[in-house]
Structures are given as structure tokens and as C-alpha cells.
Amino acid sequence: MNEISDAQATEAVETLIRYIEKIDGELREGLDRSPQRVIESYKEIYSGYADDAEEILSATFNSEGYDGIVLLKDVEFHSMCEHHLQPFSGKAHIAYIPVDKIVGISKLARLLDMHSKRLQNQERMTESIVEDLQRVIDPLGCAAVIEAQHGCMRCRGVSKQNAVMVTSSMRGAFFDKSQARSELMQLINK
Ligand code: ZN
């Protein structure tokens, strides 16, 4: 299949707007440029498809003997739920225990962005981040904990405004050793 063009995608959004407003003619003022704006915004919202974990995590440094937990916490993100195309957002905590090499700390945030700027479900996003860390930097342990509020739950369905969904994925030492895991949770909750 050919890739869908910007013009085709813009037309699809226009159809959706006609469907919502129950019209079949020209879009009214205020909406007439919206299809283009939506597609333009998609380029940013879904920019994660263009990125690659190997590339993001490629620049590593010598850990100089540091073998404790490296944690980047409270990193905000915005993503889109694949079931309803509604936003979900919150914060992520990403950690690893280095063996010989460490990654630039901003790279963990970029890895999060790569996964969040795609159509997602929170469970897979959590798992994917940990999988990438495991595969590319092969640490002693790695973990991701994500807390998020889902637009599809706030605006529709059960309409729960304050429910926070928490997911976590632990590998290596964080999975095997309860001491490493409880130290991590203490650092996250501090
Ligand atoms: Zn949803």
C-alpha cells in the first residue's frame, strides 16, 4: 500500500468534521482551516515513528565504576491512546543500573518521547522502554514506572476525572532482587 499523503489525511479529517457537525457542504468559518491544523499537529504528536532506540541510546560514557541506580524521575509525557485516539498524559520514572557504560541522562527522556509520540497503550509503552534499555545498553537491571491520566476515561465512558493508572516493568536486578526494587521505589517516592 502507498503511504497516505497529507492531502488524503486532511480530507479524512474534513470528513470527520462534517460527520460531527452533520453537514455535507463547506466547513463554516472557524473550522475551514482545522483539517490542515490537525494534520500539522499530528506531525509533532506522532513524531515518535521517525525515531530509533539504537540511535537514541548510542552515545554512551564510561561509568567509572558507578554501579548504583540511575533514575530519571517525574518526566512528563503526552501520548495518544490507540483505542480511542484520545490523549493520555502523566509522568514516567525510568531507571537502570549500569555495567561499565552509562547513557546521557537526556537520552532516557528522548526514549520516552519516542514511545509516547505514537499510538499507544500504557502497558506496551512501559514494556517497550524497558525492552529497549535492556537490549541496547544491557544494564544490570532496568525499570520503568508510568503514572497517567487517560482522556478516554475522563471525558467519556465511566467519566472518572482523577483516576491515575500506574504501570511498571522491571528487568534484571529490579526484578530479581527485592532490595534493588525497594530502593528504586523509595527513590521514586521521595
Ligand atoms: Zn482509550
Side-chain angles (χ1 to χ4, degrees):
M1 204 190 91
N2 289 327
E3 218 174 280
I4 305 293
S5 70
D6 283 7
Q8 284 173 304
T10 304
E11 207 178 299
V13 175
E14 204 173 314
T15 304
L16 280 177
I17 294 174
R18 288 212 178 87
Y19 169 74
I20 293 166
E21 293 245 311
K22 301 188 195 317
I23 50 159
D24 56 10
E26 293 280 289
L27 297 185
R28 63 176 167 79
E29 204 190 318
L31 285 174
D32 53 359
R33 297 271 309 150
S34 298
Q36 285 89 338
R37 278 189 220 104
V38 169
I39 296 308
E40 214 37 57
S41 74
Y42 277 6
K43 290 181 182 169
E44 190 182 333
I45 294 171
Y46 297 116
S47 61
Y49 290 100
D51 290 327
D52 176 73
E54 270 75 13
E55 198 183 311
I56 290 171
L57 299 172
S58 64
T60 56
F61 308 94
N62 191 304
S63 65
E64 296 171 26
Y66 181 82
D67 60 0
I69 294 173
V70 178
L71 165 68
L72 188 64
K73 68 177 200 172
D74 299 327
V75 196
E76 75 272 16
F77 72 88
H78 299 278
S79 191
M80 296 292 271
C81 103
E82 64 187 11
H83 301 133
H84 304 94
L85 307 195
Q86 291 274 334
F88 68 97
S89 58
K91 52 190 182 176
H93 317 288
I94 302 171
Y96 70 101
I97 302 172
V99 182
D100 301 334
K101 54 187 183 180
I102 51 175
V103 291
I105 198 74
S106 68
K107 302 301 190 279
L108 299 181
R110 279 197 57 205
L111 184 66
L112 170 69
D113 284 348
M114 181 189 94
H115 286 292
S116 63
K117 289 174 187 294
R118 296 178 180 194
L119 286 173
Q120 276 295 4
N121 69 55
Q122 190 180 325
E123 296 87 337
R124 190 180 61 235
M125 185 168 127
T126 311
E127 199 59 42
S128 305
I129 290 168
V130 165
E131 251 174 49
D132 285 344
L133 284 173
Q134 186 65 56
R135 190 183 69 252
V136 184
I137 64 171
D138 196 21
L140 197 64
C142 52
V145 177
I146 297 182
E147 309 168 33
Q149 291 192 306
H150 289 248
C152 60
M153 199 165 154
R154 302 179 79 170
C155 310
R156 54 161 293 287
V158 289
S159 293
K160 296 292 176 241
Q161 297 310 306
N162 300 309
V164 176
M165 178 165 157
V166 184
T167 47
S168 82
S169 176
M170 310 268 165
R171 296 278 173 94
F174 290 122
F175 184 81
D176 300 330
K177 305 218 182 318
S178 58
Q179 208 184 335
R181 189 160 58 236
S182 60
E183 189 183 336
L184 172 66
M185 294 321 281
Q186 265 172 31
L187 292 170
I188 288 174
N189 294 319
K190 202 153 74 178

